[in-house]
Amino acid sequence: MELLMKKIIFVTFLFLSGFSLADNNVFPYQQYVCPPCYHVKDIFTAKTYSHDGQCPVCGMDLIELNEPNDTSIDLHPGSGNFNVKTVKGTVISVFYHKPEKFDSSSKILLVIPGAGRNAWDYRDTWVEASEKYNVLVLSPAYDKQHYDYAAYHLGGILDKIEFTNYTVNKSEGRVNKYRLDDKDIIKGKLTQTNTWIFNDFDSIFDQVVQAVGSKQQTYDIFGHSAGGQILHRMAIFRPDSKAKRIVASNAGTYTLSNFQYDYPLGLSETNLEEAMLKDVFATNLILLVGEEDNDQETRGTMLHTPILDKQGLGRLARGEFFYREAKPQAKKMNVPFAWHFYKVKGVGHEYRKMSRAAANLLYDKKVHKGIVHVSD
């Protein structure tokens, strides 16, 4: 709160002195820290710096620091962050970029990071598009301490999931594949719907709309890798959200829209019924996958089981399988099918390039020739 008061006093001083905040996007009392890495476990107790730039220890880009208990939302032009309380009761930081020409009619985009949870990097990747298309970008950072695989990748629909008796493959010293039998996946219990991570996205949107005086009633949302896993599941389990367009990019595993398998492979043993799929297929779900995110890709981490591998060995094949399975299902039910599938040429498991492709799809009237719409 002390830091916030210093900012308010400083902005008041600028205003009385005839300065424009948009022209002087500098807060001398803003503190910066290194993101979580090998030498930073808790950003709130880490060494602080009075300027942005790179960490002198590890070279990572410094991020803005907010007081952990301050959940007020005050978005200045440019990049920053604020804290919000989640539906689980934890407090997370949301990294944002507010474009210079922002007004009440500006669109709002949520960006959901991959397994690295590096929301500040994802936010930075969208800064150029934010300014170009006048879009307010919001990227929530969910820490691994409170949001494990079940809570993050799977949306919190299960209270836990455990992988046992697995083997790993490594590339350049890091694990990029987990292999195990389907019977060695131990699943927990289904949770209450009001605790699912999807609910946070509407909540963040609503709070920001009120804070900035926006007239927007819906938002767009983009997620890559683990974020793509979250978002295609959001389309299935929260088709009534305020998301206008859901872009699920380069997901590694999918929840198929059938009742042949239990969650997370399918919808059996969930609270969904087949009749509810009418609303699911009507969501504006955009599946966006890099053409080179195939079985030869070593970036990211893939889960391999006999059932999953029937859907494909790479993210491209699994995305195509998910789409191909759903489309005839909607036709059989005689309901509209609003999903779309796009391939991005020359791109693998790269969130920066996929973010640029998503920005092009969402906000540019002329779609880039490297993005191919797959209709069948």
Side-chain angles (χ1 to χ4, degrees), residues 23 35 38-39 67 80 86 91 112 123 134 148 161 163 187-188 191-192 204 233 255 268 281 290 294 309 313 347 366:
D23 296 331
Y38 72 89
H39 73 97
E67 293 186 44
T86 70
V91 175
I112 311 304
R123 182 271 315 272
N134 195 23
D148 58 10
I161 191 166
F163 304 110
K187 293 174 287 187
T191 59
Q192 297 295 318
I204 292 170
R233 293 179 174 118
T255 296
S268 181
F281 293 139
N294 51 35
D309 286 352
L313 299 180
V347 177
K366 184 178 180 181

Side-chain angles (χ1 to χ4, degrees), residues 294-355:
N294 51 35
D295 58 336
Q296 301 301 310
E297 177 64 272
T298 59
R299 290 168 290 191
T301 305
M302 285 288 287
L303 179 63
H304 292 273
T305 74
I307 292 179
L308 283 175
D309 286 352
K310 288 180 181 178
Q311 302 172 20
L313 299 180
R315 297 178 186 86
L316 175 59
R318 290 184 182 180
E320 290 174 328
F321 186 92
F322 174 69
Y323 180 78
R324 288 198 311 267
E325 286 285 298
K327 191 171 184 179
Q329 189 179 1
K331 185 176 181 180
K332 184 179 179 180
M333 294 177 64
N334 195 29
V335 298
F337 187 66
W339 296 6
H340 295 276
F341 187 90
Y342 291 89
K343 292 191 291 188
V344 185
K345 290 186 175 181
V347 177
H349 201 64
E350 304 164 89
Y351 73 87
R352 291 182 176 86
K353 292 182 179 180
M354 296 303 292
S355 294

